[in-house]
Structure formats: C-alpha cells, structure tokens
Amino acid sequence: MIKSITTRIFGLVTILFLLPAFPFSTSLAQTALIQNIPKRAVLSLNGKWNYIIDPYETGYYDYRTKPFDESLKQQDRAFYTNTKPKDKTERIEYDFDKSPTLLVPRDWNSQEEKLLYYEGTIWYKKSFDFKTSAPGNRIFLYFGAVNYRADVYLNGKKLGFHKGGFTPFNFEVTGLVREKDNFLIIKVNNTRKADEVPTLNTDWWNYGGITRDVIVAETPATFISDYFVQLKKGSEDVLSGYVKLNGPARSGIEVVLSIAELKTHITVRTDTSGMAAIELAVRDLHRWSPQDPFLYDVKISTTVDEVTDRIGFRTIVTSGPEILLNGRPIFLRGISIHEENAIRGGRAYSREDAQMLLSWAKELGCNFVRLAHYPHNENMARLADEMGILVWEENPVYWTIQWSNPETFETAANQLKEMISRDKNRASVIVWSMANETPVTPERMTFLKNLADTARHIDNVRLISAALEQHGIPGNELVRTIEDPFAQYVDLVSFNEYIGWYDGLPDKCAKIEWKFDFNKPVFISEFGADALGGMHGDSLTRWSEEYQQYMYQETLKMIGKIPNLRGCSPWILVDFRSPRRVLPGIQDGWNRKGLISETGNRKKAFYTLKQFYETISKKY
Ligand code: GCU
C-alpha cells in the first residue's frame, strides 16, 4: 500500500517535471532563468564581500533552534537584517561591516587556510547603490552559481533560496532595490547531504561559496526573457526554436529574429503566455564545426527590447555506430576536466581560467572535452564555441544518489533544466550527460529515464548519455560488456574503465576482450592512472610517470579492439583536489590522474595521448 502511494506520488512528480514550463523549482520566489542575462548586466557585485562564519547558524536560529524569521520580535538577531545597535546599551552580537572579507566570485576554501576543509554556513554581505536607467524598468539579481544552498535576502527581505552548486539562478528585485545603501545578504551552506545532488560521497573537493559572478541586471517592463535557436531536428536548412517574452505586455507582440550575415529575418507574434515558435528556412548556412567554429550574430527584438547572441549552427546525430557532425562521421578526441584552477587554487570561474583549461586540451590534440561531473561556468561553453571544441555537460547525479526520494529527483531535474536552459544555444555542446557511475537498480533506472525524458522534452537536438560501468561476463572476467538497462535510453553508450589501475596491472589490457551488442556509438568516458608529477621509476612503479605512461600505452592499444568505439575522454586533464586522496608524499589531498600536474607540468602520458590523437585525427 505504502509503496503504491509512493509510486503514485513519484509518478505525479515525474509527470510534472516533464512540463518544461511548469514553475516547479526548489526556491520560494526565483524568476525563470533569463537567457543570456550577463548581456543585461548594469552593475557587477563581484569583489570583496564581508563574511561571517556561522557553523551553528546563530544568525538564523534562536537558542531553541526556532528560525528568527518565524518570530518577528527577535528579527534583529537574524544576521540577514544587518541590524546595528540603536545606542550604547543595545546588544547586537554581529557586525558585517567589522567582519573580514572574501572575494566573489571565488570559493571560500582556497581563500583562507582556515576554510580549506570548512563545511557549513557562511554569511556574505554586499552593500551597493543602484539607480535605474529608466522608470518602469525591471531589476534582477543574477548568481552564476552558489555551492550548495543559497538563502538570499535584500534589505532584510527574503527573496528565496536555491539549491544546486553549479547552475545559475535569478530573482526579481524591482521595487525592493533602492537608490542608496542596499544590503544584499546570502546565507551559503555547502554541507553535503544524503538526499541532495550530489550526495555525501564525491571524489572532488566540496568548494563552498559564491563561486561565480553576481550581477544586477535591468530590463524593460516587458522583455525577451528566453530564446532557443538551433537547426531543426532532421533538417539541413531550417532554424527552429522559440522566443519568450516576460512582462505585462507579452501577449500578441511582434518579435523579430534577424541574422544579418544571412540577409534574413522572421517576424513572429507571441501567444497569451508570451511564447512564439520560430521556423526559418535559410540558404547557404555556414555550419559550425571544430575545424571552422563559425558563429552568427543573431538579433532578437521587439519595439522596446533587443538582445543579441553569437550562435553557431550544426547538426549532431548518431547513425548506427557513427556520430555524425554535419553529416560526417567524427571521433571524439576528448579529455575529462574538473572545474578547478589547480595552479591558483580553487574553483575555476573566469574566462581566463577557461582559456587555460581549453588551451591545454587543444595542445593535447582534443576536439572534445567532458566537463565533469557537474555544469561548469558559462565561460567554458562560450569559449568552446569560439575555439571549436565539442562539449559534454553533466548533471551531478554521481554515485549513490537517493533514487527513491521524489525531492532528490526534483533537485536533480531542476539542476538539469537549469544547465540546459543556460547552454541550449551553444553549438559546442553536443552531449547532456544524466549521471556518472550509478549502481544498476530499478529505482535508479526510473530516476535516470525520467531525467533523460526531461532533457529530450526540452532539447531534442543533442545527444543524451551517462557514464555507465562495464563488467566481466559471468564465468570470464576477461570478457567485458555493458548490460546496464539505461544503455537503451542513451544515444552514446559511454562507460568508465580502469583496467591497469584499479583492475589489475597495465599488462592486463592485452588480455581483455570487449563485447557490445549495441548498434550505437561507444565512448569511453574515463580511463586513467595516478602519477605524481616528477616522480620517476620503472613502468611498474606505482605513482610514477612511467607507470601512468605504460597504462596509457596499453589502454590505447586495447581500445582499438572495442567495436563501435567513436571517442574517449581519459581521466583527467589536470590533478585535482579530493579529500579522499590521503597518501602522504604522493596524494596529499590530490587525485593525481592528471596528465598535467597541479603546478602545470606535463607528465609523460600527456605526450602518449597527444601522439594517439594525432594518429586518429588523420583517419577522420
Ligand atoms: C571514477 C569517478 C571519478 C574519480 C575517478 C578516480 O571513475 O568517475 O570522479 O575521480 O574514478 O577514481 O580517480
């Protein structure tokens, strides 16, 4: 009985999530994500913010753990009110303006030694003045990402909250923001929880904080809030998608989408919800590709608003074992990347960070990057558009998520929708990955299938995948296969394997036989071995560069035998921080599978993979 009720509730939650416009969200009062909102920035709130470390959440609960915002008489004790003593007798036990500062955007772990391992609440406060440029305009606060939960207060009023450490969110603050002395206070908590996404256990550092840009954006009363423009599924010369207006005068409005270099435009009229479909036949379309990453200036306008974006157009489909980019078979010469600037320390966030990471990938001979294990900052996809690098973006459904918890599904689906919403116009992005290395159970299957259905419902012109796990067949562990039922739902059958590192020594690679009976492209989303940069020994000395190089040599020979293999993204471009990696003198809190060390030195295996990609690139 209980189960059937649970199933029915879960089923209801699932159905609701298939409605992309359904305003489900894990916040109180977020505005639907505004497309390309950085273009509308009128004030950056990046820079120094005062902060208060609050492990007992003294600024939110009274000593009986009752939230202050439920007992108005004690509101001045709540940190988000930014209360100052009225006179010398008054007792206020916090003061942001006398507190130290942290930089935004940046994680807090890499800014202060005492915060390196900190997990809990930190309050941030930023004061600012703001003058609107025209009466009647609307004002929004935009956050590129905050890990993990953000409770947002402006001038003492709660705007809402957001959960998910790697996707953007925005709140409308029209009528609340004032010309002078605004104070924006964010309660940030990065505590890992079993029912969250990701869950308790990850092999990466739990960087907390306001890790990406914070801006104030301004729009007309009725503005272009969203648009999606890509080559129509199955078409070579029709652009399709939609534009959406937000505001009181959104219904029945003419919207013009124009592409000057194609000497073309289309005029559409919105429906009562402010939505209008687009379908535009084009001639002589200059396709986007890694060899020729051509981007068009697309302009969308109404009589009162205009937004431009640089958008590339290409097709990406699978046909049998082939991945076809603009109709031509490709091999994805990839590398996996965490969002970290290991040299500076901490989360990567800037265009310069993206430039460093993607230039290293290019140097390796890559035409593809797997942005693991969560949505990276927007600079990565936008720079990949410009540099001609194909991209795999991933939802942080990692390892042992709570598969039967409807709220966990809602959190995962919300982050997936925010990831797709932000990057759906990026030609470089060709794969949405639902998960990484998740255990095969019926509940996990339902969870992932519903995520895949949600993604396809929103965007049917990209490939769906997930990093699955391979295993030996019964009775012969040297014959490897994938029997994961989710493989039938993906376009790209991807899997991680660590033969030669976690599974035997490198010479085991030569004994392995691969057997897949999918008529789909196969992609190895991870293989790798640790090496401490600069540590040398013979090819069987664990942790040496020579061992890592030997493992790559043997793996690259092995993968040539994998039927339908059409790409790989070895683990990983750069050493990265992980609390799970504690071997003194070797790991010291770092996962050493990088082909580049945390000091930027290329290891021997870097050149082994580079050589392999040079050979492969001659065949495709
Ligand atoms: C797993 C996992 C990675 C992890 C890697 C490793 O495959 O996907 O997140 O870092 O193995 O063990 O180094």
Side-chain angles (χ1 to χ4, degrees):
M1 184 54 181
I2 296 291
K3 184 161 172 19
S4 67
I5 290 174
T6 310
T7 310
R8 263 190 264 130
I9 291 170
F10 191 38
L12 172 63
V13 168
T14 307
I15 291 163
L16 291 177
F17 264 98
L18 296 186
L19 308 173
F22 193 83
F24 239 130
S25 90
T26 54
S27 80
L28 292 169
Q30 270 177 67
T31 308
L33 269 181
I34 297 170
Q35 185 65 199
N36 199 8
I37 192 171
K39 265 284 182 66
R40 297 177 180 280
V42 289
L43 175 64
S44 167
L45 296 182
N46 290 349
K48 289 186 177 180
W49 290 48
N50 296 97
Y51 75 96
I52 299 171
I53 306 174
D54 187 9
Y56 293 176
E57 302 205 305
T58 308
Y60 188 75
Y61 298 100
D62 68 14
Y63 76 124
R64 294 281 191 248
T65 68
K66 186 175 169 58
F68 288 127
D69 50 12
E70 289 173 11
S71 57
L72 291 179
K73 65 177 187 310
Q74 300 190 78
Q75 282 261 308
D76 58 358
R77 303 268 300 285
F79 286 5
Y80 55 77
T81 62
N82 194 34
T83 304
K84 302 289 183 190
K86 284 194 262 319
D87 57 40
K88 64 183 180 182
T89 67
E90 184 162 24
R91 177 183 61 82
I92 299 289
E93 293 187 40
Y94 69 93
D95 184 333
F96 277 107
D97 299 328
K98 291 181 181 153
S99 298
T101 61
L102 282 172
L103 287 176
V104 167
R106 279 286 294 276
D107 61 275
W108 63 56
N109 314 70
S110 62
Q111 293 192 65
E112 295 283 346
E113 180 66 31
K114 67 186 178 210
L115 298 177
L116 181 60
Y117 280 90
Y118 181 70
E119 291 193 331
T121 286
I122 287 187
W123 295 83
Y124 286 77
K125 178 231 164 206
K126 184 75 174 180
S127 294
F128 66 96
D129 299 337
F130 179 79
K131 184 165 174 43
T132 178
S133 52
N137 278 2
R138 293 168 68 184
I139 317 300
F140 296 87
L141 272 178
Y142 166 83
F143 299 82
V146 177
N147 188 43
Y148 173 83
R149 172 174 171 134
D151 288 84
V152 183
Y153 303 84
L154 179 63
N155 302 333
K157 178 171 170 21
K158 178 142 197 186
L159 300 182
F161 70 88
H162 179 270
K163 288 200 299 183
F166 307 98
T167 48
F169 53 100
N170 40 232
F171 293 100
E172 181 158 11
V173 291
T174 313
L176 195 59
V177 67
R178 54 199 185 208
E179 281 203 22
K180 289 288 180 198
D181 303 327
N182 294 283
F183 58 93
L184 174 60
I185 292 178
I186 324 285
K187 174 176 174 285
V188 178
N189 187 301
N190 73 331
T191 306
R192 290 163 295 114
K193 291 177 182 164
D195 61 347
E196 293 298 343
V197 179
T199 183
L200 290 169
N201 195 13
T202 66
D203 190 21
W204 71 78
W205 207 267
N206 180 30
Y207 290 111
I210 304 176
T211 51
R212 296 181 193 162
D213 294 337
V214 182
I215 61 170
V216 180
E218 189 168 13
T219 72
T222 296
F223 66 100
I224 300 157
S225 60
D226 197 8
Y227 53 87
F228 184 19
V229 191
Q230 289 284 290
L231 267 170
K232 183 176 182 178
K233 190 175 182 71
S235 167
E236 302 290 310
D237 53 10
V238 174
L239 303 182
S240 78
Y242 61 79
V243 292
K244 182 163 177 50
L245 302 185
N246 176 323
R250 62 182 176 276
S251 171
I253 300 294
E254 273 198 355
V255 186
V256 180
L257 179 142
S258 58
I259 306 177
E261 285 147 295
L262 288 176
K263 298 183 178 57
T264 187
H265 73 277
I266 182 173
T267 301
V268 293
R269 187 173 294 279
T270 58
D271 64 16
T272 52
S273 74
M275 181 73 91
I278 291 172
E279 191 138 307
L280 173 60
V282 289
R283 285 202 310 270
D284 307 326
L285 187 68
H286 190 155
R287 296 290 189 79
W288 184 96
S289 72
Q291 298 77 10
D292 182 6
F294 185 81
L295 299 172
Y296 282 97
D297 289 315
V298 177
K299 186 170 78 173
I300 301 170
S301 52
T302 67
T303 52
V304 297
D305 192 25
E306 177 180 303
V307 62
T308 60
D309 204 344
R310 289 172 53 70
I311 301 178
F313 299 108
R314 49 101 191 97
T315 58
I316 188 76
V317 296
T318 58
S319 171
E322 298 303 337
I323 303 169
L324 302 178
L325 176 72
N326 296 323
R328 295 181 54 196
I330 58 167
F331 187 94
L332 301 177
R333 309 189 307 273
I335 191 70
S336 292
I337 299 178
H338 258 304
E339 187 186 46
E340 193 176 70
N341 179 330
I343 295 174
R344 179 191 64 231
R347 279 271 169 256
Y349 59 87
S350 65
R351 185 171 167 91
E352 294 70 27
D353 291 343
Q355 193 78 47
M356 177 185 78
L357 294 169
L358 294 180
S359 301
W360 283 345
K362 274 271 188 186
E363 183 191 335
L364 193 50
C366 297
N367 64 354
F368 181 81
V369 290
R370 175 183 177 225
L371 302 187
H373 283 295
Y374 37 74
H376 288 210
N377 65 81
E378 188 173 5
N379 293 301
M380 290 294 274
R382 283 196 173 273
L383 193 55
D385 265 10
E386 296 167 28
M387 293 175 69
I389 297 177
L390 297 158
V391 174
W392 158 310
E393 293 199 7
E394 186 159 305
N395 203 27
V397 174
Y398 183 92
W399 289 356
T400 52
I401 296 285
Q402 279 194 354
W403 307 110
S404 305
N405 183 333
E407 286 182 10
T408 303
F409 178 80
E410 177 190 347
T411 302
N414 202 55
Q415 293 184 59
L416 176 69
K417 290 190 283 184
E418 289 169 347
M419 173 174 77
I420 296 174
S421 173
R422 188 194 72 186
D423 289 348
K424 58 184 179 278
N425 290 304
R426 306 278 73 80
S428 55
V429 179
I430 59 168
V431 176
W432 301 123
S433 168
M434 300 300 106
N436 179 71
E437 290 192 352
T438 52
V440 179
T441 66
E443 297 77 11
R444 167 267 200 183
M445 181 61 208
T446 304
F447 193 104
L448 294 191
K449 181 184 173 310
N450 289 325
L451 284 182
D453 292 347
T454 301
R456 287 196 173 104
H457 194 86
I458 301 169
D459 172 3
N460 69 356
V461 289
R462 286 183 172 86
L463 307 181
I464 299 293
S465 192
L468 306 176
E469 290 184 315
Q470 49 82 28
H471 56 83
I473 64 170
N476 183 352
E477 69 97 16
L478 294 178
V479 177
R480 298 299 169 91
T481 188
I482 291 176
E483 286 168 339
D484 186 331
F486 191 57
Q488 63 188 301
Y489 286 98
V490 298
D491 300 300
L492 203 52
V493 177
S494 307
F495 66 92
N496 299 346
E497 63 86 5
Y498 281 90
I499 297 158
W501 181 256
Y502 295 120
D503 175 355
L505 297 176
D507 64 352
K508 183 171 183 178
C509 293
K511 301 170 189 149
I512 296 294
E513 183 191 348
W514 295 92
K515 272 194 167 175
F516 300 122
D517 55 5
F518 309 105
N519 185 25
K520 293 181 179 179
V522 172
F523 179 80
I524 306 183
S525 31
E526 288 181 34
F527 63 79
D530 285 66
L532 175 64
M535 178 176 158
H536 296 289
D538 66 28
S539 60
L540 285 177
T541 299
R542 187 78 69 159
W543 312 108
S544 70
E545 288 196 33
E546 287 72 16
Y547 185 109
Q548 185 187 50
Q549 182 180 42
Y550 177 37
M551 203 288 300
Y552 267 76
Q553 289 163 343
E554 292 304 299
T555 298
L556 294 173
K557 279 190 277 186
M558 171 183 72
I559 66 176
K561 295 186 282 182
I562 297 181
N564 295 5
L565 184 76
R566 294 297 181 269
C568 60
S569 53
W571 193 259
I572 187 170
L573 181 65
V574 194
D575 289 357
F576 61 95
R577 278 195 178 278
S578 168
R580 304 178 75 240
R581 308 295 174 169
V582 297
L583 182 61
I586 299 279
Q587 295 175 319
D588 297 318
W590 291 84
N591 181 310
R592 296 290 185 194
K593 293 191 181 65
L595 294 176
I596 298 175
S597 73
E598 83 279 17
T599 56
N601 296 324
R602 281 82 171 139
K603 303 174 191 174
K604 288 185 165 186
F606 179 96
Y607 302 100
T608 306
L609 184 62
K610 181 179 170 73
Q611 174 62 46
F612 174 73
Y613 282 163
E614 278 167 9
T615 309
I616 284 278
S617 63
K618 295 187 179 83
K619 281 190 206 161
Y620 279 83

